[in-house]
Amino acid sequence: MDINILKVTVNELKQELRPLLEKISNLTKESSYLAVQMGSYYRHELKCEPNRAVKITLNMGKDYEMTTTAIGKCFLAYSEHLQGSLSKEYEKDDFTLIEKEVATIRNTGYALDIEAYDPDLNCVAIPIFHKNRPIAVLCVSGPSFRFKESQFLESLHIMDLVLREHGKYENRICFD
């Protein structure tokens, strides 16, 4: 198999997924992000913000840790190598909790961050796949006073629908 077939550049992703992020933000009325992995960190590469008085803005180009956010845990869930590397930085009991979260993400196809990274922020994130390989994470986030459990599920359905309509990339959301 030609390895270049599997490769999708960050610029290609940004170009292809910008309209999807815009649609996701328009439908959810919340901020949406595209994040890519950079070794043991990730970075927001695209964001789309709704036209609302109160909105969440995360830093573009900043490196974020994998174990502290829904986006990072999505990347962690599909990389045994990354799990092995990061497990060395934690006490066994602490990493056991992360492993449980990672198992849940693999089973459900999404991750939640309910005021864990920031007390004013809630987030739902899904890994996106190309040819069965995780290549990026889509995320919808909003202020915790407004973006709650019912909006998480609605956002997951919207991200799923928008990705399916696009057709090139997949997700593994399980709505059971």
Side-chain angles (χ1 to χ4, degrees):
M1 175 192 291
D2 183 1
I3 191 98
N4 291 325
I5 292 173
L6 296 177
K7 201 160 190 151
V8 177
T9 70
V10 172
N11 284 336
E12 288 173 321
L13 273 175
K14 288 167 66 171
Q15 184 177 15
E16 289 179 348
L17 298 181
R18 182 180 308 275
L20 278 68
L21 255 60
E22 291 171 356
K23 187 170 187 177
I24 290 166
S25 283
N26 286 336
L27 292 171
T28 63
K29 297 180 179 49
E30 298 295 354
S31 300
S32 63
Y33 295 87
L34 173 72
V36 296
Q37 184 176 344
M38 308 295 235
S40 60
Y41 294 89
Y42 73 88
R43 184 176 296 155
H44 297 108
E45 290 291 331
L46 271 181
K47 71 177 173 181
C48 185
E49 295 178 331
N51 188 16
R52 295 185 92 160
V54 177
K55 56 189 170 193
I56 296 296
T57 300
L58 299 173
N59 295 327
M60 298 294 291
K62 175 185 173 189
D63 290 344
Y64 289 88
E65 293 181 37
M66 293 293 186
T67 58
T68 57
T69 66
I71 293 172
K73 290 174 185 171
C74 282
F75 286 119
L76 197 56
Y78 292 93
S79 174
E80 289 180 21
H81 173 74
L82 189 56
Q83 289 175 44
S85 300
L86 292 177
S87 69
K88 297 170 188 165
E89 299 175 20
Y90 289 85
E91 296 292 325
K92 184 170 175 50
D93 290 343
D94 292 337
F95 202 75
T96 299
L97 294 173
I98 293 170
E99 288 174 320
K100 286 180 184 176
E101 283 185 85
V102 162
T104 299
I105 294 163
R106 287 183 71 93
N107 288 333
T108 63
Y110 64 90
L112 296 175
D113 179 338
I114 303 170
E115 298 183 271
Y117 179 72
D118 182 309
D120 297 322
L121 169 73
N122 286 340
C123 164
V124 60
I126 63 169
I128 58 173
F129 298 83
H130 181 62
K131 302 193 184 293
N132 287 323
R133 295 180 60 123
I135 58 165
V137 173
L138 285 178
C139 161
V140 174
S141 64
S144 56
F145 74 87
R146 180 179 68 219
F147 191 58
K148 299 188 180 293
E149 190 171 342
S150 62
Q151 287 85 10
F152 301 159
L153 189 56
E154 179 185 356
S155 296
L156 286 168
H157 280 285
I158 289 168
M159 288 189 285
D160 178 55
L161 175 68
V162 169
L163 274 175
R164 281 190 288 115
E165 285 175 350
H166 182 266
K168 182 174 179 180
Y169 305 108
E170 307 92 39
N171 69 74
R172 296 189 178 159
I173 299 173
C174 180
F175 289 110
D176 291 341

